Short mmCIF file of all heavy atoms in Angstrom, two decimals:
data_model
loop_
_atom_site.label_atom_id
_atom_site.label_comp_id
_atom_site.label_asym_id
_atom_site.label_seq_id
_atom_site.Cartn_x
_atom_site.Cartn_y
_atom_site.Cartn_z
N THR A 203 -7.21 5.03 12.75
CA THR A 203 -6.29 5.85 13.55
C THR A 203 -6.09 7.25 12.98
O THR A 203 -6.46 8.23 13.61
CB THR A 203 -4.93 5.13 13.69
OG1 THR A 203 -4.47 4.72 12.39
CG2 THR A 203 -5.03 3.91 14.59
N PHE A 204 -5.53 7.35 11.79
CA PHE A 204 -5.05 8.63 11.28
C PHE A 204 -5.86 9.23 10.13
O PHE A 204 -5.84 10.43 9.91
CB PHE A 204 -3.61 8.47 10.77
CG PHE A 204 -2.64 7.96 11.78
CD1 PHE A 204 -1.99 6.75 11.60
CD2 PHE A 204 -2.36 8.69 12.93
CE1 PHE A 204 -1.08 6.28 12.53
CE2 PHE A 204 -1.45 8.23 13.87
CZ PHE A 204 -0.81 7.01 13.68
N LEU A 205 -6.51 8.39 9.34
CA LEU A 205 -6.95 8.81 8.01
C LEU A 205 -7.89 10.02 8.04
O LEU A 205 -7.70 10.97 7.27
CB LEU A 205 -7.63 7.65 7.27
CG LEU A 205 -8.17 7.99 5.87
CD1 LEU A 205 -7.08 8.54 4.97
CD2 LEU A 205 -8.82 6.75 5.24
N PHE A 206 -8.91 10.00 8.89
CA PHE A 206 -9.91 11.07 8.82
C PHE A 206 -9.34 12.41 9.29
O PHE A 206 -9.70 13.46 8.75
CB PHE A 206 -11.17 10.66 9.60
CG PHE A 206 -11.92 9.55 8.93
CD1 PHE A 206 -11.78 8.23 9.35
CD2 PHE A 206 -12.74 9.80 7.84
CE1 PHE A 206 -12.45 7.20 8.71
CE2 PHE A 206 -13.42 8.78 7.19
CZ PHE A 206 -13.28 7.47 7.63
N LYS A 207 -8.41 12.34 10.22
CA LYS A 207 -7.73 13.57 10.67
C LYS A 207 -6.91 14.16 9.52
O LYS A 207 -6.94 15.38 9.28
CB LYS A 207 -6.83 13.22 11.87
CG LYS A 207 -5.99 14.35 12.41
CD LYS A 207 -5.21 13.90 13.64
CE LYS A 207 -4.23 12.78 13.34
NZ LYS A 207 -3.44 12.38 14.53
N TRP A 208 -6.20 13.30 8.81
CA TRP A 208 -5.42 13.77 7.66
C TRP A 208 -6.34 14.30 6.56
O TRP A 208 -6.07 15.33 5.95
CB TRP A 208 -4.56 12.64 7.10
CG TRP A 208 -3.45 12.18 8.00
CD1 TRP A 208 -2.82 12.90 8.96
CD2 TRP A 208 -2.83 10.89 7.99
NE1 TRP A 208 -1.84 12.14 9.56
CE2 TRP A 208 -1.82 10.90 8.99
CE3 TRP A 208 -3.01 9.73 7.25
CZ2 TRP A 208 -1.00 9.79 9.24
CZ3 TRP A 208 -2.20 8.62 7.50
CH2 TRP A 208 -1.22 8.66 8.49
N TRP A 209 -7.42 13.58 6.32
CA TRP A 209 -8.38 13.92 5.25
C TRP A 209 -8.98 15.30 5.50
O TRP A 209 -9.18 16.08 4.58
CB TRP A 209 -9.46 12.86 5.22
CG TRP A 209 -10.30 12.76 3.99
CD1 TRP A 209 -10.52 13.72 3.04
CD2 TRP A 209 -11.04 11.60 3.58
NE1 TRP A 209 -11.37 13.23 2.07
CE2 TRP A 209 -11.70 11.93 2.37
CE3 TRP A 209 -11.23 10.33 4.12
CZ2 TRP A 209 -12.55 11.03 1.70
CZ3 TRP A 209 -12.05 9.43 3.45
CH2 TRP A 209 -12.69 9.78 2.26
N ASP A 210 -9.25 15.61 6.77
CA ASP A 210 -9.79 16.93 7.13
C ASP A 210 -8.81 18.06 6.87
O ASP A 210 -9.20 19.23 6.87
CB ASP A 210 -10.17 16.96 8.62
CG ASP A 210 -11.46 16.22 8.91
OD1 ASP A 210 -12.29 16.08 7.99
OD2 ASP A 210 -11.63 15.78 10.07
N ASN A 211 -7.55 17.71 6.67
CA ASN A 211 -6.49 18.73 6.58
C ASN A 211 -5.66 18.59 5.31
O ASN A 211 -4.45 18.89 5.33
CB ASN A 211 -5.58 18.61 7.81
CG ASN A 211 -6.25 19.07 9.08
OD1 ASN A 211 -6.28 20.26 9.39
ND2 ASN A 211 -6.82 18.13 9.82
N LEU A 212 -6.29 18.20 4.21
CA LEU A 212 -5.53 17.98 2.98
C LEU A 212 -4.70 19.20 2.56
O LEU A 212 -3.57 19.02 2.08
CB LEU A 212 -6.46 17.55 1.84
CG LEU A 212 -7.03 16.12 1.95
CD1 LEU A 212 -7.97 15.85 0.77
CD2 LEU A 212 -5.94 15.07 2.01
N PRO A 213 -5.19 20.44 2.72
CA PRO A 213 -4.33 21.57 2.34
C PRO A 213 -3.22 21.86 3.36
O PRO A 213 -2.36 22.69 3.09
CB PRO A 213 -5.32 22.75 2.29
CG PRO A 213 -6.69 22.17 2.41
CD PRO A 213 -6.53 20.87 3.14
N HIS A 214 -3.26 21.19 4.51
CA HIS A 214 -2.34 21.53 5.62
C HIS A 214 -1.63 20.28 6.14
O HIS A 214 -1.43 20.16 7.35
CB HIS A 214 -3.11 22.21 6.75
CG HIS A 214 -4.02 23.31 6.30
ND1 HIS A 214 -3.55 24.51 5.79
CD2 HIS A 214 -5.37 23.38 6.24
CE1 HIS A 214 -4.58 25.27 5.45
NE2 HIS A 214 -5.70 24.61 5.71
N LEU A 215 -1.24 19.39 5.26
CA LEU A 215 -0.66 18.13 5.70
C LEU A 215 0.72 18.29 6.33
O LEU A 215 1.16 17.42 7.08
CB LEU A 215 -0.57 17.14 4.53
CG LEU A 215 -1.91 16.52 4.08
CD1 LEU A 215 -1.70 15.70 2.82
CD2 LEU A 215 -2.51 15.66 5.18
#
Side-chain angles (χ1 to χ4, degrees):
T203 50
F204 303 117
L205 178 57
F206 291 99
K207 176 177 63 178
W208 292 335
W209 198 338
D210 284 335
N211 289 276
L212 289 178
H214 312 291
L215 286 173

